[in-house]
Amino acid sequence: MGVEAGAQAARSRALVVLRMRSRALAVALLPAAVAVILLAGAATSHLVGPGWDTARWILTPLAVLVLLAAAGIALVVARARPAMSPTIPITEEAAPDLYRMVRDLADRLDVPAPSAIALTPDCDSWLEDRTHRAHGPPPAEEHDDIAGGGRHTHRRHPVAPVLVIGSPFLWWMRVGELRAVLAPVVAGTGPSAHPDIAAARRFVRGLDAAVAVASAPYRGPVSRAVLAGLGWVARLLLRNCRVHAAEMERGVAAAAAERAQAVDYGLRIVAQEQVGLAYAGWDRLLTRVALPAWRMGRWPSRLDAGVVAALTELSRRDRLAEGFASRLGERPACDLLEEPGAVDEAASLLAARLFHGGPAGPGPDWSPVGWSEYPEEVVDRKWRIDAARLHRVLDTMGVRPALGSTAPNTGGPTLSRVLDHLADRADHLADRADHRADRAGESPFTARNPEPPPDDEEDLSGTTPRSATLAARLSAELSREEATATPSPSATAPFTAASSSASSPATPDPAALWDDRTLPLFPLQPPRTARELLADHLTAMICCAAMDTAGATPGLDWLDGPTLLHNGERTADLAPKVLTLIEEGDSTPLRAWLAELGIRPEKPVRLG
C-alpha cells in the first residue's frame, strides 16, 4: 500500500474493525476460559468445595453452549454469500483492447490490475470483491491474464477486485475520457490489496450477509428462533463497525483519488462533465423512452446506443451542451469491445430486469424491439391499447354520446364520446358551489354498477366529479390487468447474448448470485396516480383520432418519449388542454386545438 494519507487512515480504521472482531471472539471464549480454570482447579485440588462445584456445574454447560453458538455464528458469517451487483461479465476475448487499456492504466498507477471486468446498466463505476467461494471465481488463467502474471500457476497475493463499468459510459465517452474516469477507480485496487483492509472488508461483508440470512422468510419456528439470535449478534457487530468501516472506505477513496491525480488529470475534469451529462441522458431515456415499452412487454435492445442519440439531441436543443456532439468524431469507447451490439443487447435486457422487473429472457410476452420499429411497435400500440381501455371502462359505466352531441350515431369508438362525457360544465359548477361536499357520493350520471369513491382523494381533489370517477375506474381496471399478467421475473429461461450470436462476448452470470424475487431492484418511477392515468388515456385517444382522421403518425422523441407527428413536425401544447378538460370540465381549448390540426373527433377510431 502506498504512502497516501488516505491509505494510512484506511488501514487504521481497518485495524479498529479487526480489533472489534477480536473482542467479539474474546467474549465468546471467556466462559470457556473460566470453565477451564475451574476444571483445572478441581483436577489439582485447589478449587474444591460446594461453591466451586456449583460454579463448575453452571459454567461448563454454559461455556459449551456459548462456544457452539459462537461457532455457528462464525460459520454463517464465513459461508454466507455476500451481496453481488447484477452485471454483464466481459471476458478478455470479448474486449482485448479494453483489458489492455485497464492493464496499462494500472501499470501507470503502480497498482494491481483488476481481476476481471463487468458492465452494469447504470452511470457509475466501482470495484467489487468477488473472491467469496459462493461467487464462483473465474479460472486462474483469466485472473493472471489481466494481472499480467499468466506464467504462474500459484498466486501469493489475493485476487484483485472486479472492475464494474457503467455501460452508458462506453457508448457516450471517448477512449481517453473513459481512461480518465476509470483512473481513480482502478487506483483503488492498491489499498484494497492490503491484508488488513481486505480482512476488514471480508468481515463486514460477512456480517451483512449473515443479517440477510437471518432475515430470510419462510422459516420454521425453531429456525426463526435460532436465526433471530444470529441476526441480533450480527446487527450488533455491524452497528459497532459501521462508522469505522465507512471511514475506512472514505480513506480508500481518498488514497485512490490522490494516486490518480498523476494520470490524465486535466482530461478527467472534462470527462467528469460527460459523466453528469451521460447520467441525465440515461435517466431521461429510461423514464421517457424505455419505460413505456417495458410496460407493454417490449424491451428496447439498444439502450446504450439510444443514450448517444438522446445526448446528441440534447446538445442540439440546449446551448449548455453545445459542442459535446462534436466529440462524436473521436473513437468511442465501445470500439474497445469486439461485439458491441451483443453487449448492448445483454445490458439492455439487464436494465429491463433491474428497473422494471421483466423476465430473464425473451418470450412471447417479452420481446426485443429496435429503435426503427419503436414508433409502430410501441407508440402506436400503446396509444390504441390505452384508448381501447378507456372505451371499455366507459362501456362498463354505461356512457353513451350525450344529447346534442355532434357525433353521428355510428356506434364506433369516437373521441367525441369522451369529450362529451368529461365536458359537463353544469355538473362541475354545481359541485363547486356545493364546495365538493358530496365528492364521495354517487356519480352524477347513471351507471350500470354502483361506483365507489376514488381511492386517492388528494390526487383527484382538483378534478371534476366525472373525471375523478373515470380516473378511479381506469386505475382499478389497470390494476386488474396487471394482476392477471402471466409473465414473472423468472418465468423464462435466462437470456444470454450468446442466443443471438454463436460466439457472444457477454453472458449474464452463470448462477443466480443475486435474488430476483425482489425485482425491480430500482423502480424508475412511483406508480402512476389516477389523475395521471386519465391524462395518459385521454392523450392516447386524441393521438389515435389524429392518426386515423388527420394523417398524423407516431414518433419517437429521444428526450420525451412517444410523440405525435403532424405533417412531419412534433405537435405541442396538448398537455395543458387535456388538464383543463380534466380539472375544469372545459373542452373548448381542446376542441379548438383539434380543429386547428384538422382532427375530427366525431369519426370512429381503430382501437388496439
Side-chain angles (χ1 to χ4, degrees):
M1 187 171 63
V3 296
E4 294 87 359
Q8 300 299 331
R11 181 175 179 272
S12 64
R13 293 290 183 170
L15 291 176
V16 175
V17 173
L18 295 179
R19 281 197 293 270
M20 289 184 179
R21 184 184 65 178
S22 300
R23 291 170 187 167
L25 179 61
V27 170
L29 294 177
L30 182 60
V34 175
V36 169
I37 293 174
L38 293 177
L39 292 175
T44 57
S45 301
H46 285 84
L47 303 177
V48 294
W52 293 110
D53 293 338
T54 303
R56 274 188 288 271
W57 279 105
I58 294 175
L59 283 178
T60 301
L62 178 62
V64 173
L65 290 177
V66 172
L67 282 179
L68 290 176
I73 293 174
L75 183 65
V76 173
V77 171
R79 297 183 63 87
R81 187 178 66 195
M84 176 176 167
S85 303
T87 56
I88 303 295
I90 302 296
T91 64
E92 185 166 5
E93 292 77 12
D97 292 341
L98 179 60
Y99 271 71
R100 191 177 303 111
M101 184 195 74
V102 173
R103 186 184 301 118
D104 293 342
L105 183 59
D107 291 340
R108 293 174 62 185
L109 295 170
D110 194 22
V111 296
S115 60
I117 297 177
L119 298 185
T120 180
D122 199 4
C123 293
D124 198 2
S125 298
W126 66 88
L127 294 172
E128 186 166 300
D129 188 356
R130 298 183 179 179
T131 57
H132 195 275
R133 60 176 65 90
H135 289 163
E141 60 269 18
E142 293 185 7
H143 293 300
D144 293 334
D145 283 347
I146 183 64
R151 294 181 299 272
H152 302 283
T153 58
H154 300 283
R155 293 185 300 271
R156 298 182 179 179
H157 303 287
V159 177
V162 173
L163 174 62
V164 181
I165 306 174
S167 62
F169 292 164
L170 289 175
W171 268 258
W172 176 244
M173 290 187 174
R174 309 301 97 181
V175 174
E177 294 170 346
L178 180 65
R179 182 174 60 247
V181 168
L182 293 181
V185 182
V186 175
T189 60
S192 300
H194 193 277
D196 294 336
I197 295 178
R201 283 178 166 175
R202 283 195 301 270
F203 178 60
V204 174
R205 283 197 305 272
L207 292 177
D208 183 71
V211 171
V213 170
S215 303
Y218 311 113
R219 302 282 187 178
V222 177
S223 299
R224 282 200 301 268
V226 173
L227 292 177
L230 166 66
W232 182 83
V233 173
R235 291 185 183 94
L236 177 63
L237 292 174
L238 271 180
R239 281 196 299 269
N240 292 332
C241 297
R242 181 182 304 163
V243 175
H244 300 289
E247 293 298 328
M248 177 185 68
E249 297 300 338
R250 291 191 184 97
V252 170
E258 182 179 353
R259 181 178 289 263
Q261 287 182 355
V263 179
D264 299 332
Y265 180 74
L267 184 59
R268 192 179 316 124
I269 297 177
V270 178
Q272 288 299 328
E273 299 178 357
Q274 303 303 320
V275 172
L277 190 63
Y279 182 87
W282 182 250
D283 179 74
R284 196 72 174 254
L285 183 73
L286 293 182
T287 55
R288 301 295 182 90
V289 178
L291 188 58
W294 293 340
R295 286 171 174 165
M296 293 185 58
R298 306 296 297 272
W299 51 279
S301 58
R302 294 293 185 270
L303 283 179
D304 292 311
V307 77
V308 178
L311 292 175
T312 304
E313 177 67 15
L314 176 63
S315 65
R316 187 184 66 84
R317 296 184 189 179
D318 192 352
R319 287 184 298 178
L320 293 177
E322 197 171 313
F324 287 160
S326 61
R327 307 163 35 262
L328 300 181
E330 305 173 16
R331 186 191 182 194
C334 64
D335 280 357
L336 300 174
L337 304 173
E338 289 293 299
E339 296 185 29
V343 175
D344 194 359
E345 185 174 0
S348 299
L349 179 59
L350 181 57
R353 297 202 71 198
L354 296 181
F355 299 117
H356 183 66
D365 299 321
W366 186 245
S367 56
V369 60
W371 293 126
S372 60
E373 307 165 348
Y374 188 94
E376 291 295 331
E377 296 292 330
V378 176
V379 180
D380 184 84
R381 287 185 55 207
K382 174 185 183 299
W383 286 341
R384 297 194 186 276
I385 290 175
D386 287 352
R389 184 183 300 111
L390 176 61
H391 280 277
R392 190 164 59 249
V393 171
L394 291 176
D395 290 340
T396 61
M397 295 168 57
V399 175
R400 289 177 175 82
L403 294 177
S405 171
T406 60
N409 189 16
T410 60
T414 64
L415 176 59
S416 290
R417 180 194 190 194
V418 183
L419 299 182
D420 292 342
H421 173 66
L422 294 178
D424 195 333
R425 299 282 294 167
D427 282 350
H428 181 51
L429 293 177
D431 181 75
R432 283 200 171 187
D434 203 20
H435 200 59
R436 298 189 179 93
D438 299 326
R439 172 172 296 277
E442 295 182 358
S443 60
F445 53 89
T446 303
R448 294 179 183 174
N449 299 316
E451 177 61 35
D455 293 332
D456 194 349
E457 290 291 341
E458 183 178 356
D459 173 60
L460 299 173
S461 61
T463 62
T464 66
R466 290 191 172 186
S467 296
T469 305
L470 181 57
R473 292 294 294 266
L474 277 172
S475 180
E477 177 69 15
L478 187 61
S479 299
R480 282 192 295 269
E481 292 179 6
E482 293 176 349
T484 57
T486 54
S488 62
S490 57
T492 55
F495 170 75
T496 66
S499 61
S500 59
S501 175
S503 58
S504 172
T507 57
D509 297 329
L513 300 181
W514 48 281
D515 188 2
D516 61 356
R517 293 173 296 179
T518 58
L519 294 173
L521 298 179
F522 313 104
L524 291 178
Q525 291 180 342
R528 289 176 292 180
T529 62
R531 182 201 296 258
E532 292 171 342
L533 284 175
L534 178 57
D536 290 345
H537 283 71
L538 181 55
T539 301
M541 184 63 201
I542 295 171
C543 293
C544 290
M547 290 187 294
D548 292 345
T549 67
T553 57
L556 168 61
D557 186 282
W558 290 109
L559 298 177
D560 296 327
T563 186
L564 182 67
L565 302 178
H566 187 263
N567 293 330
E569 296 182 359
R570 179 184 175 187
T571 58
D573 302 329
L574 176 58
K577 298 171 178 58
V578 171
L579 292 179
T580 299
L581 176 60
I582 294 175
E583 296 173 355
E584 301 178 9
D586 184 8
S587 64
T588 303
L590 180 56
R591 290 184 184 275
W593 186 85
L594 296 174
E596 181 182 354
L597 296 182
I599 302 173
R600 303 184 62 181
E602 72 278 4
K603 292 290 186 180
V605 299
R606 179 171 57 89
L607 302 181

